[in-house]
Amino acid sequence: MSPATHTVTNQPPPLTGDNVFTSDVALTQALQRELAEKHRDTVLPELTELGRVAGSEEAREWGRLANEHPPQLRTHDRYGHRVDEVEFHPAWHRLMEQGVAAGLTDAWSPGGQLRRTAGFYVWSQVEAGHGCPLSMTHAAVPALRAERELAERWVPLLTSRSYEPGLTPAGTKAGALAGMGMTEKQGGSDVRANTTVARPTSTPGEYVLTGHKWFCSAPMCDVFLVLAQVPDEGLSCFLVPRVLPDGARNTFRIQRLKDKLGNRSNASSEVEFEDTVAWRVGEVGRGVATIIEMVAATRLDCVTGSAALMRQALSQALHHCAHRSAFGGLLLEKPLMRSVLADLALESEAATALALRLAVAQDRATEGDALERHFLRLALPTAKFWVTKRCTPMVAEALECLGGNGYVEESGLPRLLRESPLNSLWEGSGNVQALDVLRALQREPRSLEAFLAEIGRARGGDHRLDAAIKQVLTELSDLDGLEAGARRLVERMGLLLQASLLVQHAPAEVADAFCAARLGPDAGLAFGTLPRGLNVDALVERARGH
């Protein structure tokens, strides 16, 4: 056999050594604009270091190994005692350690949501599955603040930058993780149909729970927020620790791990409770109201996580096309491929801009800004619907940029593609989000006022955006009987938010291209069908960090 047949040519080098943060112009420019000056000297160096690690060969290997060696359930020890433990590959623990150390479980200091959202966006590009416990842990904090004693005990552990796995009493740990248990098999998103029962004990605030949860992700967390029915009083929220203060294991039976399409590094499970000790969080009968802030925070992470997947898919496509030749030149230089890449870049930047705007709104709302709180009420489910829906087709198109190489596991694109539908499902599917938008429009008129004020800031900046705003205002004038068309309305609202942000803050060629390709009369359906006359070169080079 001739050695020449084993010569490797025209294959891109590995995409490692790229700083995921500093190479992302849309991200860094948004932070320079939105980050308070007093935070820049600490936050920007932290993100730069996180971006360096995220782009390293070592971190990419952690992501690969965590997915190729998924978690394993051990229900019993060798002697027959129930232990209900999940074992993870060491790569999972390295990912978690880095994420916790980067502050991705803490967003509740002044300006902290913007910092954390940017960090979550950067680090999620390494591996998405471990983002679930990071997300739930930071999101549990506002709900726990409804009970002062529980908050004093748990919030310092949940916001710690120390990762300490293992089931031991909270009082012995330097850091802890939180999960959530809402979904049951008979109800799904209809949590008011839940059948898990909570009965009070003789100790004030203490209950015992009996029932099941159909989806409980990251069951090795230290503590969970769970919804259960208090007889005659209604659905309520409870804190369930895996280990009780005296060191005894709480009853938390992991029945099985879900065999999922993607997100394979993360253990999603079915769990059962039987006289499981829990403590009430918030008022009895107001469980949904108590846990809703946790849901809102994790919905923001769905938007951010999808934006991160989109950016990573785009980065892989750009890298491949910059090093792969076909038909006499680099793929990057071919006009048709350049149009595809430019369109993917538009989608990525619009998603990134919207995620960061929501983070800014969350910071301002936390600090007491009522207008931003009302804006979030409508903008968050709108963004959750739209950005997560756009993720899968965009990742699929990026995979196609690599041709057959993209369909091979070693490229990493199949993992991104399997991951891409998840955020559309987690924390309420598309229909749930669309119905939530309708509910806000019908019951909370100030949320619409805040939404219109936001997109109104870009009025006059692009005639296609102005026309689209006028069209949506017409649709909003009559909400009766709109449920069947709610997806169309929310899609248009999502596009208006993205277009208004790009018109206000992005370079003119980006805003022009987005409005032409998404709102104009010549808008195409497939990626790469950009109208003529756009500055495609500028879009591609900006996405490459040039």
Side-chain angles (χ1 to χ4, degrees):
M1 185 178 291
S2 171
T5 63
H6 295 280
T7 302
V8 177
T9 61
N10 198 26
Q11 289 289 343
L15 178 54
T16 56
D18 176 53
N19 190 305
V20 173
F21 175 66
T22 58
S23 64
D24 191 334
V25 176
L27 175 63
T28 55
Q29 287 185 350
L31 284 173
Q32 288 286 355
R33 181 178 69 250
E34 300 291 355
L35 198 61
E37 189 170 350
K38 62 183 177 181
H39 298 312
R40 290 179 186 173
D41 289 345
T42 55
V43 172
L44 294 179
E46 279 187 1
L47 290 173
T48 299
E49 174 59 16
L50 186 63
R52 183 195 67 78
V53 178
S56 68
E57 183 176 359
E58 184 179 31
R60 305 284 172 139
E61 186 68 359
W62 295 341
R64 182 186 71 82
L65 290 171
N67 281 270
E68 290 192 2
H69 303 277
Q72 301 293 316
L73 173 62
R74 289 180 60 240
T75 55
H76 297 76
D77 67 13
R78 60 179 289 193
Y79 304 105
H81 304 121
R82 281 205 76 120
V83 292
D84 295 292
E85 293 189 359
V86 180
E87 295 177 344
F88 294 87
H89 189 275
W92 165 273
H93 294 297
R94 296 302 301 274
L95 291 165
M96 289 295 300
E97 183 178 41
Q98 185 70 46
V100 171
L104 303 188
T105 59
D106 179 18
W108 307 109
S109 56
Q113 189 64 253
L114 179 59
R115 172 198 58 78
R116 183 196 168 273
T117 295
F120 191 76
Y121 171 92
V122 167
W123 190 242
S124 293
Q125 293 183 52
V126 176
E127 198 282 323
H130 77 290
C132 177
L134 295 175
S135 178
M136 292 189 297
T137 299
H138 110 274
V141 170
L144 281 175
R145 285 176 175 163
E147 294 295 334
R148 182 177 58 82
E149 291 186 10
L150 293 177
E152 288 177 353
R153 185 186 317 159
W154 285 100
V155 169
L157 294 174
L158 300 180
T159 57
S160 167
R161 294 201 177 196
S162 297
Y163 173 61
E164 192 170 326
L167 295 180
T168 57
T172 68
K173 305 187 80 168
L177 298 173
M180 177 169 54
M182 294 199 300
T183 306
E184 297 185 6
K185 55 191 171 188
Q186 78 288 339
S189 295
D190 184 10
V191 295
R192 295 190 186 279
N194 284 5
T195 61
T196 297
V197 175
R199 300 186 184 280
T201 69
S202 58
T203 303
E206 184 182 277
Y207 289 71
V208 289
L209 274 53
T210 299
H212 68 272
K213 294 297 171 183
W214 187 239
F215 276 99
C216 179
S217 284
M220 289 303 288
C221 288
D222 299 277
V223 67
F224 295 80
L225 291 184
V226 171
L227 292 180
Q229 302 281 2
V230 177
D232 301 322
E233 297 191 72
L235 195 64
S236 306
C237 183
F238 299 90
L239 180 144
V240 175
R242 286 293 317 263
V243 179
L244 298 173
D246 64 2
R249 294 280 183 96
N250 208 358
T251 305
F252 193 96
R253 296 183 183 137
I254 305 174
Q255 300 300 89
R256 63 169 175 163
L257 300 185
K258 301 287 192 179
D259 186 8
K260 299 170 294 183
L261 168 68
N263 202 246
R264 301 189 70 84
S265 69
N266 179 38
S268 297
S269 63
E270 296 173 31
V271 301
E272 289 192 357
F273 305 135
E274 184 178 4
D275 291 335
T276 300
V277 179
W279 284 269
R280 175 180 48 78
V281 180
E283 297 179 37
V284 174
R286 290 184 54 79
V288 174
T290 301
I291 209 169
I292 198 67
E293 284 194 76
M294 185 177 189
V295 173
T298 48
R299 282 181 177 177
L300 173 53
D301 278 359
C302 289
V303 177
T304 306
S306 289
L309 283 170
M310 294 158 89
R311 173 62 193 182
Q312 182 55 212
L314 172 63
S315 297
Q316 295 286 351
L318 287 166
H319 178 75
H320 178 88
C321 293
H323 293 88
R324 177 82 164 179
S325 295
F327 305 107
L330 289 173
L331 285 173
L332 188 69
E333 298 170 352
K334 303 297 181 181
L336 191 53
M337 179 60 82
R338 211 160 173 80
S339 182
V340 171
L341 294 171
D343 211 353
L344 296 177
L346 278 179
E347 198 68 38
S348 175
E349 179 157 352
T352 301
L354 185 48
L356 293 177
R357 175 64 184 93
L358 295 174
V360 170
Q362 181 64 69
D363 276 330
R364 293 172 180 169
T366 300
E367 294 166 10
D369 190 321
L371 183 64
E372 292 289 76
R373 186 178 74 253
H374 292 303
F375 168 69
L376 276 174
R377 177 64 187 91
L378 204 51
L380 188 54
T382 297
K384 164 70 164 69
F385 173 88
W386 180 238
V387 173
T388 63
K389 279 276 181 274
R390 293 294 282 174
C391 185
T392 300
M394 188 201 147
V395 172
E397 191 68 53
L399 182 153
E400 188 175 325
C401 291
L402 278 67
N405 291 319
Y407 205 66
V408 175
E409 287 292 338
E410 289 175 328
S411 73
L413 270 296
R415 173 153 58 93
L416 296 182
L417 185 59
R418 287 192 298 271
E419 202 72 42
S420 61
L422 176 61
N423 286 317
S424 184
L425 299 167
W426 194 31
E427 303 300 16
S429 62
N431 283 354
V432 171
Q433 304 307 310
L435 291 172
D436 196 27
V437 169
L438 285 188
R439 189 180 302 110
L441 289 170
Q442 292 165 340
R443 300 180 184 178
E444 302 178 49
R446 291 194 66 185
S447 65
L448 178 57
E449 294 173 10
F451 181 89
L452 294 177
E454 174 66 25
I455 62 175
R457 295 190 178 98
R459 264 190 153 164
D462 188 282
H463 67 279
R464 293 152 300 200
L465 174 57
D466 291 344
I469 292 174
K470 184 176 180 181
Q471 180 184 355
V472 169
L473 286 174
T474 300
E475 293 183 40
L476 289 172
S477 65
D478 183 11
L479 295 175
D480 293 336
L482 193 58
E483 181 175 325
R487 280 181 170 235
R488 176 178 170 81
L489 174 63
V490 178
E491 174 182 308
R492 299 297 287 178
M493 292 171 65
L495 284 168
L496 292 185
L497 274 175
Q498 291 180 321
S500 67
L501 290 168
L502 296 180
V503 166
Q504 291 177 75
H505 305 302
E509 57 268 19
V510 175
D512 176 52
F514 188 86
C515 291
R518 305 294 188 267
L519 302 176
D522 194 24
L525 296 178
F527 284 106
T529 56
L530 293 175
R532 291 186 178 184
L534 300 178
N535 192 341
V536 169
D537 291 344
L539 301 178
V540 172
E541 294 310 306
R542 177 176 171 82
R544 296 180 67 200
H546 297 169

Short mmCIF file of all heavy atoms in Angstrom, two decimals, residues 185-219:
data_model
loop_
_atom_site.label_atom_id
_atom_site.label_comp_id
_atom_site.label_asym_id
_atom_site.label_seq_id
_atom_site.Cartn_x
_atom_site.Cartn_y
_atom_site.Cartn_z
N LYS A 185 -46.54 12.72 35.17
CA LYS A 185 -46.90 12.05 33.92
C LYS A 185 -48.33 12.33 33.48
O LYS A 185 -48.61 12.35 32.29
CB LYS A 185 -46.65 10.56 34.03
CG LYS A 185 -47.33 9.85 35.18
CD LYS A 185 -46.79 8.43 35.33
CE LYS A 185 -47.27 7.76 36.60
NZ LYS A 185 -46.61 6.48 36.83
N GLN A 186 -49.23 12.60 34.42
CA GLN A 186 -50.61 12.82 34.02
C GLN A 186 -50.88 14.27 33.62
O GLN A 186 -51.93 14.56 33.06
CB GLN A 186 -51.57 12.44 35.16
CG GLN A 186 -51.69 13.46 36.29
CD GLN A 186 -50.46 13.54 37.16
OE1 GLN A 186 -49.69 12.59 37.19
NE2 GLN A 186 -50.26 14.62 37.86
N GLY A 187 -49.92 15.17 33.90
CA GLY A 187 -50.20 16.58 33.67
C GLY A 187 -49.27 17.30 32.72
O GLY A 187 -49.68 18.17 31.98
N GLY A 188 -47.98 16.95 32.74
CA GLY A 188 -47.02 17.69 31.92
C GLY A 188 -46.98 19.15 32.33
O GLY A 188 -46.80 19.48 33.50
N SER A 189 -47.18 20.04 31.37
CA SER A 189 -47.15 21.48 31.66
C SER A 189 -48.32 21.92 32.52
O SER A 189 -48.27 22.98 33.14
CB SER A 189 -47.16 22.27 30.35
OG SER A 189 -45.98 22.03 29.61
N ASP A 190 -49.37 21.11 32.57
CA ASP A 190 -50.53 21.44 33.40
C ASP A 190 -50.26 21.02 34.84
O ASP A 190 -50.78 20.02 35.33
CB ASP A 190 -51.77 20.73 32.84
CG ASP A 190 -53.05 21.10 33.58
OD1 ASP A 190 -53.02 22.04 34.40
OD2 ASP A 190 -54.08 20.43 33.35
N VAL A 191 -49.43 21.81 35.53
CA VAL A 191 -48.97 21.40 36.86
C VAL A 191 -50.10 21.39 37.89
O VAL A 191 -49.98 20.74 38.93
CB VAL A 191 -47.81 22.30 37.35
CG1 VAL A 191 -46.59 22.11 36.46
CG2 VAL A 191 -48.22 23.76 37.40
N ARG A 192 -51.19 22.10 37.62
CA ARG A 192 -52.30 22.09 38.58
C ARG A 192 -53.00 20.72 38.62
O ARG A 192 -53.79 20.46 39.51
CB ARG A 192 -53.30 23.20 38.25
CG ARG A 192 -52.68 24.59 38.43
CD ARG A 192 -53.70 25.70 38.36
NE ARG A 192 -53.06 27.00 38.41
CZ ARG A 192 -52.65 27.61 39.51
NH1 ARG A 192 -52.82 27.01 40.68
NH2 ARG A 192 -52.08 28.80 39.47
N ALA A 193 -52.67 19.86 37.64
CA ALA A 193 -53.20 18.49 37.66
C ALA A 193 -52.32 17.55 38.47
O ALA A 193 -52.59 16.35 38.53
CB ALA A 193 -53.34 17.97 36.23
N ASN A 194 -51.26 18.07 39.09
CA ASN A 194 -50.34 17.23 39.86
C ASN A 194 -51.06 16.49 40.98
O ASN A 194 -52.01 17.02 41.59
CB ASN A 194 -49.22 18.07 40.46
CG ASN A 194 -48.17 18.45 39.43
OD1 ASN A 194 -48.32 18.17 38.24
ND2 ASN A 194 -47.12 19.11 39.87
N THR A 195 -50.58 15.28 41.27
CA THR A 195 -51.22 14.46 42.31
C THR A 195 -50.32 14.21 43.52
O THR A 195 -50.78 13.61 44.49
CB THR A 195 -51.63 13.10 41.71
OG1 THR A 195 -50.48 12.42 41.23
CG2 THR A 195 -52.64 13.28 40.58
N THR A 196 -49.06 14.63 43.48
CA THR A 196 -48.19 14.47 44.65
C THR A 196 -48.81 15.22 45.83
O THR A 196 -49.21 16.39 45.70
CB THR A 196 -46.79 15.01 44.36
OG1 THR A 196 -46.21 14.22 43.31
CG2 THR A 196 -45.90 14.93 45.58
N VAL A 197 -48.89 14.56 46.97
CA VAL A 197 -49.57 15.11 48.14
C VAL A 197 -48.56 15.49 49.21
O VAL A 197 -47.60 14.76 49.47
CB VAL A 197 -50.59 14.09 48.70
CG1 VAL A 197 -51.22 14.61 50.00
CG2 VAL A 197 -51.67 13.81 47.68
N ALA A 198 -48.79 16.62 49.86
CA ALA A 198 -47.97 17.08 50.97
C ALA A 198 -48.83 17.18 52.23
O ALA A 198 -49.88 17.85 52.21
CB ALA A 198 -47.36 18.44 50.65
N ARG A 199 -48.41 16.53 53.29
CA ARG A 199 -49.16 16.57 54.55
C ARG A 199 -48.27 17.14 55.65
O ARG A 199 -47.11 16.75 55.80
CB ARG A 199 -49.63 15.17 54.93
CG ARG A 199 -50.55 14.55 53.88
CD ARG A 199 -51.15 13.22 54.33
NE ARG A 199 -51.94 12.62 53.27
CZ ARG A 199 -53.19 12.97 52.96
NH1 ARG A 199 -53.79 13.92 53.68
NH2 ARG A 199 -53.84 12.37 51.98
N PRO A 200 -48.82 18.08 56.44
CA PRO A 200 -48.02 18.72 57.49
C PRO A 200 -47.68 17.75 58.61
O PRO A 200 -48.44 16.83 58.93
CB PRO A 200 -48.92 19.85 57.99
CG PRO A 200 -50.31 19.41 57.64
CD PRO A 200 -50.19 18.60 56.39
N THR A 201 -46.50 17.94 59.20
CA THR A 201 -46.12 17.20 60.40
C THR A 201 -46.39 18.08 61.61
O THR A 201 -46.95 19.18 61.49
CB THR A 201 -44.63 16.82 60.35
OG1 THR A 201 -43.84 18.00 60.49
CG2 THR A 201 -44.29 16.13 59.03
N SER A 202 -45.97 17.65 62.75
CA SER A 202 -46.17 18.45 63.97
C SER A 202 -45.19 19.61 64.07
O SER A 202 -45.37 20.51 64.90
CB SER A 202 -46.04 17.55 65.20
OG SER A 202 -44.75 16.94 65.23
N THR A 203 -44.17 19.62 63.22
CA THR A 203 -43.19 20.70 63.21
C THR A 203 -43.64 21.81 62.27
O THR A 203 -43.95 21.54 61.11
CB THR A 203 -41.81 20.19 62.75
OG1 THR A 203 -41.40 19.12 63.62
CG2 THR A 203 -40.78 21.31 62.77
N PRO A 204 -43.73 23.07 62.72
CA PRO A 204 -44.20 24.15 61.86
C PRO A 204 -43.38 24.26 60.57
O PRO A 204 -42.15 24.25 60.61
CB PRO A 204 -44.02 25.40 62.73
CG PRO A 204 -44.08 24.88 64.13
CD PRO A 204 -43.43 23.53 64.09
N GLY A 205 -44.07 24.34 59.44
CA GLY A 205 -43.42 24.49 58.15
C GLY A 205 -42.92 23.20 57.53
O GLY A 205 -42.50 23.19 56.37
N GLU A 206 -42.96 22.10 58.29
CA GLU A 206 -42.46 20.82 57.79
C GLU A 206 -43.61 19.96 57.28
O GLU A 206 -44.69 19.91 57.89
CB GLU A 206 -41.71 20.07 58.89
CG GLU A 206 -41.06 18.77 58.42
CD GLU A 206 -40.37 18.05 59.56
OE1 GLU A 206 -39.22 18.41 59.84
OE2 GLU A 206 -40.99 17.14 60.17
N TYR A 207 -43.36 19.26 56.17
CA TYR A 207 -44.37 18.39 55.56
C TYR A 207 -43.71 17.08 55.16
O TYR A 207 -42.47 16.98 55.13
CB TYR A 207 -44.97 19.04 54.31
CG TYR A 207 -45.88 20.22 54.58
CD1 TYR A 207 -45.36 21.43 55.02
CD2 TYR A 207 -47.25 20.12 54.37
CE1 TYR A 207 -46.19 22.51 55.26
CE2 TYR A 207 -48.10 21.21 54.60
CZ TYR A 207 -47.56 22.40 55.04
OH TYR A 207 -48.38 23.47 55.28
N VAL A 208 -44.53 16.09 54.83
CA VAL A 208 -44.03 14.88 54.18
C VAL A 208 -44.77 14.72 52.86
O VAL A 208 -45.99 14.94 52.78
CB VAL A 208 -44.19 13.62 55.06
CG1 VAL A 208 -43.23 13.67 56.22
CG2 VAL A 208 -45.62 13.45 55.53
N LEU A 209 -44.03 14.35 51.83
CA LEU A 209 -44.56 14.27 50.48
C LEU A 209 -44.67 12.81 50.04
O LEU A 209 -43.79 12.00 50.34
CB LEU A 209 -43.65 15.00 49.48
CG LEU A 209 -43.84 16.50 49.28
CD1 LEU A 209 -43.79 17.26 50.59
CD2 LEU A 209 -42.79 17.05 48.32
N THR A 210 -45.75 12.50 49.29
CA THR A 210 -45.90 11.19 48.67
C THR A 210 -46.40 11.41 47.24
O THR A 210 -47.39 12.11 47.02
CB THR A 210 -46.91 10.32 49.44
OG1 THR A 210 -46.42 10.13 50.78
CG2 THR A 210 -47.08 8.97 48.76
N GLY A 211 -45.67 10.82 46.29
CA GLY A 211 -46.06 10.99 44.88
C GLY A 211 -44.87 10.74 43.97
O GLY A 211 -43.89 10.10 44.36
N HIS A 212 -44.95 11.24 42.75
CA HIS A 212 -43.90 11.00 41.78
C HIS A 212 -43.68 12.24 40.93
O HIS A 212 -44.54 13.12 40.86
CB HIS A 212 -44.29 9.83 40.87
CG HIS A 212 -45.46 10.17 39.96
ND1 HIS A 212 -46.75 9.98 40.35
CD2 HIS A 212 -45.49 10.71 38.73
CE1 HIS A 212 -47.55 10.39 39.38
NE2 HIS A 212 -46.82 10.84 38.38
N LYS A 213 -42.53 12.28 40.27
CA LYS A 213 -42.21 13.31 39.29
C LYS A 213 -41.71 12.62 38.03
O LYS A 213 -40.84 11.75 38.09
CB LYS A 213 -41.16 14.28 39.84
CG LYS A 213 -41.66 15.11 41.04
CD LYS A 213 -42.82 16.00 40.68
CE LYS A 213 -43.43 16.66 41.92
NZ LYS A 213 -44.63 17.48 41.58
N TRP A 214 -42.26 13.02 36.91
CA TRP A 214 -42.00 12.36 35.63
C TRP A 214 -40.68 12.82 35.03
O TRP A 214 -39.99 12.05 34.38
CB TRP A 214 -43.15 12.67 34.70
CG TRP A 214 -43.18 11.97 33.39
CD1 TRP A 214 -43.19 12.56 32.15
CD2 TRP A 214 -43.25 10.56 33.14
NE1 TRP A 214 -43.26 11.61 31.16
CE2 TRP A 214 -43.30 10.36 31.74
CE3 TRP A 214 -43.27 9.43 33.97
CZ2 TRP A 214 -43.36 9.10 31.16
CZ3 TRP A 214 -43.34 8.18 33.39
CH2 TRP A 214 -43.37 8.02 32.00
N PHE A 215 -40.31 14.09 35.24
CA PHE A 215 -39.02 14.61 34.81
C PHE A 215 -38.38 15.34 35.98
O PHE A 215 -38.91 16.34 36.46
CB PHE A 215 -39.17 15.59 33.64
CG PHE A 215 -39.25 14.92 32.29
CD1 PHE A 215 -40.47 14.72 31.68
CD2 PHE A 215 -38.10 14.49 31.65
CE1 PHE A 215 -40.55 14.11 30.44
CE2 PHE A 215 -38.17 13.87 30.41
CZ PHE A 215 -39.40 13.68 29.80
N CYS A 216 -37.26 14.83 36.42
CA CYS A 216 -36.49 15.49 37.47
C CYS A 216 -35.03 15.44 37.01
O CYS A 216 -34.37 14.41 37.12
CB CYS A 216 -36.66 14.78 38.81
SG CYS A 216 -35.71 15.54 40.15
N SER A 217 -34.56 16.55 36.47
CA SER A 217 -33.19 16.57 35.95
C SER A 217 -32.19 16.77 37.08
O SER A 217 -32.51 17.36 38.11
CB SER A 217 -33.04 17.68 34.91
OG SER A 217 -33.63 17.31 33.69
N ALA A 218 -30.98 16.27 36.82
CA ALA A 218 -29.87 16.41 37.77
C ALA A 218 -30.25 15.94 39.17
O ALA A 218 -30.18 16.70 40.14
CB ALA A 218 -29.38 17.85 37.80
N PRO A 219 -30.65 14.66 39.32
CA PRO A 219 -31.14 14.19 40.62
C PRO A 219 -30.07 14.10 41.71
O PRO A 219 -30.40 13.81 42.85
CB PRO A 219 -31.70 12.80 40.30
CG PRO A 219 -30.94 12.35 39.09
CD PRO A 219 -30.72 13.60 38.30
#
